Structures are given as C-alpha cells and as structure tokens.
Amino acid sequence: MKKLILYLIALLFSYSGYCQKLTSPDNQLVLTFSLLPNGTPTYQLDYKGQPIIRNSKMGFALLHVDRPLAEGFRITDTQFTSSDTTWEPVWGEEKEIRDNHREMLVCLQQEKTDWQVNIRFRLFNDGLGFRYEFPVQPNLRHFRIQNELTEFSLTGDHKTFWIPADYDTNEFPITTSSLSGIAALIDEVRKEPLAAKSPAPNLAVQTPLMMKSANGIYVNIHEAALINYPAMHLNVNDQTFQLSAHLTPDKTGNGAFMQTGSATPWRTIMVSDDARDILASNLIVNLNEPCKIKDTSWIKPTKYMGVWWEYFTGGGSTWSYTDYSDIIIGQTDYTKLKPHGRHGANTQHVKEYIDFAAKHGFDAVLVEGWNEGWEDNHAYIKERIYSFTKPYPDFDAKELQQYAAAKGVKIIMHHETTSSVVNYEHQMHDAFRFMVDHGYDAVKTGYVGGIIPRSEHHDSQWMVNHYNYVTETAADYKIMVNSHEAVRPTGIHRTWPNWIAQESARGTEFESFKGIAPDHTTILPFTRLVGGPMDYTPGIFQGDLSVYGSNPAKGSSTLVKQLALYVTMYSPLQMAADLIENYDRFPDAFQFIKDVAVDWDNTWILEAEPGDYITIARKSKGKNEWFVGGITDENPRESIIDFSFLPKGKKYIATIYADGKDADWRTNPQSYLISSKTISQKTKLKQRLAPSGGVAIRIREIE
Ligand code: NOJ
Ligand code: CA
C-alpha cells in the first residue's frame, strides 16, 4: 500500500512537475516531454488534437555499463526559443528555404552517475526533430553506445512503404503492407537477388519510413545530419505498433563510439494530412548545419550522359580491358596484354559521347571502366584493387581532356572502390590530384561488395565517417561527389553541397537485372529522396533489352514516364542514361531531356499519393520557364493539372509530351504524342496517363 501511494505521488509529480509542452508555429503539432516515475525520458507528439506518436521512451544502452543511460534522470533546466529565418541553398527545389520552428532544450542529469544528457526538440509546422546532446562534463568523457533506445510508438497498424533493415544495402524493391503484414513478407523480400547482404537479425525496416494511418495521416520517420554515428534502422513490434531505434553495429557489436561535446543525428517525424506536404518539406535540410564551403561557385547542377548503360544492356561492352584475371596493379604492364576488344571506355568511343553531349547541350559525360583493375572487380586480392591514377592503355586522359575542353564538356570521373575503403583512402589525395590535373570536377564513387579489410558495414559509424571524409576532402579539391552504395542521405548536402547526389536505393540499373515495379518511382520521393537527391539515372527509351541479344529484361514504364522522372525525381545531377542510338531514334522526345532544367527557383507539388501517383511543377532557376512531370503506377489515371502556379495575366505555350492512346508499359511503351497548347494561370488540363505512364510538359511565356 505504502509503495502504491509513493508510486502515485511520484506519478503525479512527474506528470505535473516534469511535463513540458512545445507547440509548432501554427499550433497544430504539440510535443509533450515528460519523465516517468523512474526518471525515464519520454515524448509524445499530437497533431490537430490526436496522438501521432504515443508516449515513447528515450535513451541509450551503453556498453560495459550496467545502468542504461535511460532512467534515473532529473531535469536540471528547460529552455525555450523560437526562430523564423530564410536561407538560400547552393542548388535545390526552391531558391529560398524558410526555417520556422520552436525549440525546447531539456537538460537532464542521471542521479546516480551525475552524467548529463540534453535533448533538443525542434517543432516545425510539418514535423518534429529531436536529438541527444552530450555536453562536456566532469564525470563522462568517452563512452560506447550499444544501442539507442528511442521509441516511436505509433497509434495503429499503418499502411507502410518499407524496405527490410540491412546493414549493407538499400537497393531493395519497396513493399507496401500494413505494419502487421511486414513479418509475413520480409524473408521473401530479403531473398531478392543482388539485395540482402547483412540483414538485421530482428523484424526491422529502414528509414526514411513512409506510413499512412487509417484516418489519412501521413507520417514519415527518418534522421537528419548523420555525422560520426551509425545509421538508424527501426525495429517493428507488429503487436503494439511500436518502432524502436536499431543502430547499425560495428563488427564487434558496438553501436557508436562517443565522446562528450557531441550530439546524435536528429530523429525526424514528419506529419501531415496531405501527402503533398511530405514532398514539400524542408525539415531535414533545416536540421542540418549551414554550408561550410566558402566559395561555392564551382558547384554546378549537371546534366550528363555516360559510357555506362552499354555495360548493362547485354550488348557486349565491358568495364575491363582484358580477359586476364591475375593482374597485379602497379606491376602488370597492360600494354603487353592482349585486349579482349570489348572495352567501353576507349578514347574513340568516349569522343563519340563527348560529340553527342556537346551537340545536344549536355554538361558532362561519365566514363566508367577507364582505369586499371576491372579484371578482378571483386578485389579478392589486395594487390588487384583498382588504381585511380592509371588509365587503361586505350584511354588517353590527356587527349580526352583537351578534346572535352574544346567542346565545352566535362568528363565525370569514376572511382569504383569495391569497398576497399582503406586502400581508397590511401589513394584518395593522388586520385583527386589526378582529377584536378586532368580537368575533372566531379566523381562518381562506388561501394559495391563488403567493406575491405575491416568488414565494417556500409551503414556503420566507421563508414559514415568515411563518406563524410571523402566529401570534405573532395571539397578541398573543388570536386563534386555522387556516391553509389553509400549510406542513405540525411540532408548533409546543405552543409556540403558538393555532395551533389547519391544512389542509395534501387535505381535504373535494376531495369537491366530484376526489374523495377511500376509503383517504385511513385514511392521513392516519399522515402529515399526525403534525405536528399538521388542519381536515379532516368531516360531509358529502349526498355526492352532483348533487342541487344542476351538480356531478356523489359522496362517498367512508358517512354513518357521516363521523361516525367526528370521533374518528379528531384536531383541537381540528372543523367540521360540511354544509348546515343536510342536518342537518335526519338529526337522529338529527346528534346524534353535536352530542355529540362536541373536547378529550380520554385516547386509546386500538384498531386501526390505514395504508391499511386505524383505530379510536380517547377520553375527553372533564373528563367521564365516551367516544367511539369506527372507519373502513375501500374494503373492508368487522369491527372488534373492546375496551372494556377503560373504568374497571372500572361499567356504561355505548353509543349505536352503525353502517352499515346494505346501506350502501356507492358505492350506499347514507346507510344507517345507531342502537342502544343496555349495556357494561362486559369487553365486546368485533364491528362490521361497510361498504365505505368506519365506526362511531361515544358512551359514558356508567349512574348
Ligand atoms: C554499381 C553502380 O550503381 C553502377 O552505377 C556502376 O556502374 C557499377 N556499380 C560499377 O561501378
Ligand atoms: Ca548500385
């Protein structure tokens, strides 16, 4: 009885005395922080008067410390601030971004240890961000986090767009099911060839995680500013609908090595009853630090082509120069080896791409397979790992430098590390110096395979530090980075805008392997792209690869949907991925790819429903020119495009690239119709999209 009374007093005390509220600027979101009677920190998030996240625990399990950093806390201070500012990104979907939030800093001290942890909450109109901060303090300096105990207690069995948790890859198809439906499907999805590498041992999924409640509330959970910390996956309790953090461990089971004077990444929860708000949100970038590069004039949004797709079509050309596999980099003289004759990155062929790119106004050409080492691209043997300074004998770097410069085209460097990360770091300065000396200003990095030699996971703290180190070092050389197979982005491109794009999801290359589901690109903007731009590499006009001989793959969309992706899949780095011959076959459709901008003043999300459709309008940076892209999943649909985003009182000419009447991604993907129409701000256009089809529109002012 005495115990019960004490408990009730403690409960009352904790909820009256230790309960703090913060509201968003528009008062629609309410964050409640409280301490449980045992001193465990908790938070709750309400939206328009209903709970979105039920009371959820916060804290850490530490390694070699019995007492978790998750209980026995008291509040030593609480501070409230607010801020409403705007800032200009170096590139982006908007030329100005508003950061309007209210903040609460709760300072906690654990009674038995005296250890201090602060929790900083920022509430925006479109969601919540919070992070843990570890101030410099007398009794704690270095510590190891075994796992973070942050919970996200959802209110029901939401519809969820998920990929399985995996410490090494995110190149999965995206599955749509209820939270309770994940368990029955996850093993099958993990078997997906080329995908699962190091699955989390429990029922867990990756972020950004997009969900929709039964009453139509959209909730998106991710993280911002992943720096010196492992990436977070989410355990799923499919009985209670409680999600909980699961940090990518290192090889010995540690989550994170910490030092006081630091903070965790922000945990982010976006909320809205309108799916368009999720796509329009700037919450993740707002939670990242401002740009750290002083002179950003060399960072340029880029449209490029590449000696690339031919390696995937089954048409015969390869990255490698010879058939020999016993090559030792630095010792084998390639000029003495007989080439197999199918090497893609030869000087003559690269020149064809440079000519074509120059003729059609592209900024750059990516060249893969230019460097020694592709004969053993599993890098099983250390001495065979690629050189990033030695071109193959038939790739004349100096001659191509002059040729490209004369044509006003850049060549994009390629560093496939096959995850030999230590070796890459050893070569990195020489490699970047080689780039500067040969006129390159952008590199595509790659992390195929397991991390060598430490077998650390791609999403671990150690690797997170590597990707950030590469980006920061590249900035010293004025080099832009497009990383493939790296940890998924968390808005760091605000701080380091030379990190111009990433892959980190299933991209177009899968059109040539296992295929891409028609709804994939209607989901990615709600999941992967929430963290930052994706090098999705659209523009495949010839999706049926059987025409090249050996690859039976069929495309996943109509040709017009490929055009629309340049608008719906935001990236300042966009590729026209198909072969020259296919653009020559469809010059009128190719015109859209030539015209479309890669940097924007404004963006309007016109229609959106994850898994079903997306329609977006954008205004080109510094130009009176607009583009609209609309896509649908496997179902045809009628899009109603409302042009009220255009300035009033003027007439415009819209060039409309539409699916042909008989277009269908399975039977007739290349059927399209191009027409022109005079429109104004008042126009509402009804446009039919074919199954897995799209619409792409270019709009210019009539003088
Ligand atoms: C996988 C990348 O995603 C792809 O774009 C690249 O061509 C290969 N690795 C080889 O580096
Ligand atoms: Ca890849």
Side-chain angles (χ1 to χ4, degrees):
M1 190 62 188
K2 206 172 137 201
K3 253 192 172 169
L4 184 73
I5 292 170
L6 276 177
Y7 176 78
L8 285 175
I9 291 171
L11 199 71
L12 196 76
F13 188 61
S14 68
Y15 281 106
S16 55
Y18 289 124
C19 168
Q20 298 280 7
K21 280 189 194 298
L22 180 71
T23 54
S24 58
D26 66 1
N27 296 316
Q28 303 283 20
L29 281 166
V30 180
L31 176 272
T32 309
F33 175 84
S34 57
L35 282 181
L36 295 182
N38 72 347
T40 295
T42 67
Y43 74 101
Q44 169 164 333
L45 184 63
D46 293 85
Y47 172 66
K48 295 190 177 172
Q50 53 172 309
I52 296 298
I53 304 289
R54 295 178 286 120
N55 213 33
S56 299
K57 293 181 188 165
M58 315 175 89
F60 301 91
L62 301 186
L63 212 84
H64 307 313
V65 179
D66 291 340
R67 200 188 170 101
L69 200 55
E71 58 185 43
F73 283 108
R74 65 187 179 87
I75 298 178
T76 57
D77 193 14
T78 313
Q79 296 164 19
F80 290 87
T81 49
S82 66
S83 165
D84 188 1
T85 55
T86 53
W87 55 278
E88 285 179 22
V90 174
W91 41 258
E93 295 172 90
E94 309 274 343
K95 71 164 181 269
E96 268 193 350
I97 293 177
R98 185 173 176 194
D99 176 353
N100 183 19
H101 67 258
R102 292 193 185 146
E103 179 176 298
M104 174 168 76
L105 178 70
V106 183
C107 303
L108 300 169
Q109 186 148 27
Q110 197 176 35
E111 287 189 310
K112 289 221 169 121
T113 58
D114 277 350
W115 292 345
Q116 300 158 29
V117 180
N118 300 339
I119 306 177
R120 193 180 295 273
F121 295 93
R122 278 193 192 159
L123 206 46
F124 302 76
N125 290 342
D126 54 3
L128 170 69
F130 62 86
R131 71 175 185 192
Y132 303 88
E133 300 178 356
F134 306 103
V136 173
Q137 49 195 285
N139 298 328
L140 183 64
R141 201 160 153 206
H142 297 113
F143 57 103
R144 281 191 250 168
I145 292 174
Q146 187 170 40
N147 202 14
E148 189 180 313
L149 303 175
T150 307
E151 294 174 349
F152 306 84
S153 300
L154 302 164
T155 55
D157 194 9
H158 299 342
K159 180 179 185 181
T160 305
F161 303 86
W162 57 273
I163 59 173
D166 188 294
Y167 305 142
D168 281 288
T169 187
N170 26 40
E171 296 186 8
F172 290 98
I174 306 167
T175 306
T176 306
S177 77
S178 60
L179 284 162
S180 61
I182 296 175
L185 299 166
I186 197 163
D187 287 340
E188 211 43 49
V189 182
R190 277 174 174 154
K191 276 190 215 135
E192 179 68 24
L194 307 164
K197 290 189 178 121
S198 317
N202 24 4
L203 187 63
V205 294
Q206 303 203 30
T207 74
L209 184 67
M210 185 68 216
M211 293 168 287
K212 185 183 184 183
S213 73
N215 60 342
I217 310 294
Y218 300 87
V219 181
N220 183 294
I221 300 179
H222 188 39
E223 61 181 306
L226 173 58
I227 291 165
N228 196 11
Y229 201 77
M232 175 180 71
H233 301 277
L234 294 171
N235 295 318
V236 179
N237 183 323
D238 54 3
Q239 308 294 309
T240 61
F241 312 127
Q242 186 183 67
L243 310 179
S244 56
H246 174 84
L247 300 181
T248 307
D250 77 355
K251 279 318 255 199
T252 56
N254 293 305
F257 290 76
M258 304 299 289
Q259 182 167 359
T260 51
S262 64
T264 67
W266 297 88
R267 278 62 191 93
T268 62
I269 307 166
M270 294 179 192
V271 185
S272 180
D273 51 15
D274 186 334
R276 295 177 300 176
D277 293 341
I278 305 292
L279 298 184
S281 176
N282 286 306
L283 185 132
I284 301 274
V285 274
N286 275 332
L287 289 169
N288 274 270
E289 294 297 313
C291 180
K292 289 200 172 160
I293 302 172
K294 279 202 189 80
D295 167 21
T296 56
S297 57
W298 51 274
I299 301 172
K300 294 203 175 76
T302 299
K303 212 189 301 178
Y304 72 104
M305 301 193 63
V307 178
W308 181 72
W309 187 236
E310 59 190 74
Y311 301 144
F312 295 82
T313 56
S317 75
T318 70
W319 287 274
S320 67
Y321 173 75
T322 73
D323 284 326
Y324 299 85
S325 59
D326 52 350
I327 282 154
I328 304 293
I329 299 299
Q331 288 176 33
T332 306
D333 181 353
Y334 269 92
T335 59
K336 301 219 165 88
L337 302 176
K338 190 169 158 290
H340 57 37
R342 288 171 281 116
H343 179 224
N346 64 76
T347 305
Q348 193 45 43
H349 188 47
V350 174
K351 280 184 180 174
E352 282 161 28
Y353 265 88
I354 292 172
D355 290 345
F356 189 83
K359 181 171 162 209
H360 295 284
F362 285 80
D363 305 299
V365 173
L366 165 74
V367 184
E368 294 200 1
W370 67 279
N371 57 323
E372 292 188 358
W374 285 90
E375 284 72 17
D376 174 18
N377 74 358
H378 297 291
Y380 287 125
I381 300 178
K382 183 167 121 291
E383 287 75 15
R384 293 191 204 156
I385 290 162
Y386 308 91
S387 163
F388 301 110
T389 49
K390 291 199 177 79
Y392 277 135
D394 60 347
F395 180 91
D396 191 330
K398 273 287 162 211
E399 190 185 330
L400 284 169
Q401 176 181 10
Q402 282 159 15
Y403 194 82
K407 298 251 169 174
V409 170
K410 288 278 179 187
I411 304 180
I412 298 180
M413 174 50 75
H414 185 225
H415 292 165
E416 175 52 74
T417 69
T418 36
S419 297
S420 298
V421 169
V422 173
N423 180 293
Y424 184 51
E425 288 186 4
H426 280 150
Q427 291 196 50
M428 191 165 61
H429 284 277
D430 290 341
F432 288 165
R433 173 59 49 208
F434 179 91
M435 285 179 62
V436 171
D437 290 346
H438 292 83
Y440 294 78
D441 65 359
V443 61
K444 170 177 170 179
T445 58
Y447 295 90
V448 167
I451 308 295
I452 303 166
R454 288 181 47 148
S455 288
E456 291 294 341
H457 294 300
H458 280 71
D459 292 355
S460 66
Q461 182 184 27
W462 195 77
M463 280 305 291
V464 163
N465 286 338
H466 168 77
Y467 309 124
N468 291 340
Y469 172 55
V470 170
T471 304
E472 292 175 29
T473 308
D476 291 340
Y477 289 86
K478 298 197 159 95
I479 287 170
M480 297 179 271
V481 179
N482 164 25
S483 49
H484 278 226
E485 296 92 27
V487 69
R488 72 282 185 287
T490 57
I492 294 174
H493 59 276
R494 175 182 179 183
T495 314
W496 296 100
N498 65 316
W499 203 346
I500 194 147
Q502 291 191 232
E503 179 187 47
S504 306
R506 176 168 289 216
T508 295
E509 62 182 0
F510 275 83
E511 297 273 19
S512 77
F513 316 142
K514 245 247 148 165
I516 284 185
D519 66 357
H520 189 65
T521 46
T522 68
I523 304 172
L524 277 179
F526 288 96
T527 56
R528 160 66 184 75
L529 271 72
V530 162
M534 177 167 176
D535 183 35
Y536 186 75
T537 71
I540 302 301
F541 284 4
Q542 182 57 47
D544 177 355
L545 302 186
S546 65
V547 301
Y548 304 108
S550 61
N551 191 337
K554 302 269 188 266
S556 70
S557 78
T558 66
L559 186 151
V560 172
K561 185 174 179 179
Q562 291 291 314
L563 299 181
L565 294 176
Y566 289 88
V567 184
T568 61
M569 297 280 273
Y570 168 68
S571 177
L573 183 73
Q574 289 283 17
M575 183 180 203
D578 212 336
L579 309 180
I580 288 176
E581 64 192 61
N582 294 321
Y583 294 134
D584 278 338
R585 274 170 67 206
F586 303 100
D588 53 354
F590 184 48
Q591 189 62 41
F592 182 85
I593 302 181
K594 289 165 63 173
D595 291 336
V596 71
V598 283
D599 201 15
W600 311 97
D601 276 339
N602 294 105
T603 288
W604 299 268
I605 314 295
L606 302 180
E607 304 175 301
E609 180 62 26
D612 294 340
Y613 55 85
I614 293 175
T615 314
I616 296 179
R618 305 187 196 270
K619 178 182 175 295
S620 305
K621 186 91 146 236
K623 260 184 159 182
N624 278 339
E625 180 193 46
W626 295 258
F627 291 88
V628 176
I631 58 168
T632 180
D633 62 2
E634 68 281 6
N635 301 307
R637 84 178 284 264
E638 187 174 86
S639 171
I640 299 180
I641 302 168
D642 180 343
F643 291 97
S644 58
F645 59 85
L646 291 168
K648 269 190 207 140
K650 289 196 169 143
K651 291 258 176 265
Y652 303 88
I653 181 93
T655 310
I656 303 166
Y657 300 74
D659 290 320
K661 279 206 176 62
D662 50 352
D664 186 304
W665 67 287
R666 284 154 303 198
T667 53
N668 200 6
Q670 290 169 336
S671 162
Y672 61 87
L673 247 169
I674 304 173
S675 62
S676 284
K677 202 177 153 75
T678 303
I679 59 165
S680 77
Q681 199 219 24
K682 296 199 182 108
T683 309
K684 287 187 178 55
L685 177 74
K686 280 192 189 165
Q687 185 62 53
R688 188 185 171 275
L689 278 60
S692 197
V695 58
I697 308 176
R698 179 187 188 205
I699 303 160
R700 279 160 299 157
E701 225 176 88
I702 298 175
E703 297 296 327

